[in-house]
Amino acid sequence: MSIAIYPGSFDPVTFGHLDVIKRSSTMFEEVVVGILSNNAKHPLFTVEERKDMLEKAVSDIPNVSVITFDGLLIDYMKAHDISVIVRGLRAITDFDYELQIAQSNRKVSCDTIDTVFLTTSIEYAYLSSSIVREYASYGTDVTDFVPKHVAQMLKNKFNN
Ligand code: PNS
């Protein structure tokens, strides 16, 4: 079975993430979206909120599921027999960090885990969760960046 995991913070999920999820869902039998729950970045949304918004956003893709994990990604993967990580690459600025994580995950997993990179579609190359949070905090319409239900959750969060 070819199962891949697409891990991230998803705080919140954006159209850039959804683009990677949709494209990877055509490449693997199953794609598991893994939300890191013990995130040192102090996320805006709770892990339950992020899971809820992601589940709604991928509800029309039958081979995609959403889970939360804490601790090491490779430990979750070993426990669930998953050997491929999917990550999106937006620009060269992502590359150093992603290469470092991919190579260390491969080393620590004794070469049992590989990372597959999808280059982000050009229309989402500038997009990030932090940019969305910043605009939304000032009450700017973010429906070009995130699904409508996520934009509403941002409005509720920032009371705007
Ligand atoms: O969306 P993000 O914040 O760029 O995602 C980063 C993530 C969650 C993929 C990465 O931090 C991760 O895998 N964390 C889990 C802990 C882990 O396995 N660490 C070892 C590699 S950094």
Side-chain angles (χ1 to χ4, degrees), residues 7-10 36 39 41 69 71-74 87 97-98 101 104-105:
S9 305
F10 305 106
L36 179 63
N39 199 328
K41 290 179 184 170
F69 72 99
L72 282 183
L73 175 62
I74 61 165
R87 290 285 283 172
Y97 173 67
E98 293 297 337
I101 297 185
S104 50
N105 277 336

Side-chain angles (χ1 to χ4, degrees), residues 32-64:
V32 176
V33 180
I35 306 169
L36 179 63
S37 61
N38 62 335
N39 199 328
K41 290 179 184 170
H42 302 294
L44 174 67
F45 289 101
T46 66
V47 69
E48 292 80 16
E49 287 169 330
R50 286 178 280 150
K51 185 164 190 270
D52 186 44
M53 66 173 77
L54 259 157
E55 276 174 344
K56 280 199 183 89
V58 301
S59 60
D60 59 335
I61 319 176
N63 61 334
V64 174

Side-chain angles (χ1 to χ4, degrees), residues 81-115:
D81 217 12
I82 303 173
S83 57
V84 178
I85 301 168
V86 172
R87 290 285 283 172
L89 277 183
R90 284 168 302 192
I92 193 74
T93 42
D94 283 340
F95 186 72
D96 270 354
Y97 173 67
E98 293 297 337
L99 184 70
Q100 196 181 13
I101 297 185
Q103 287 176 333
S104 50
N105 277 336
R106 187 162 163 77
K107 177 75 182 168
V108 177
S109 70
C110 302
D111 294 349
T112 60
I113 281 173
D114 253 310
T115 303

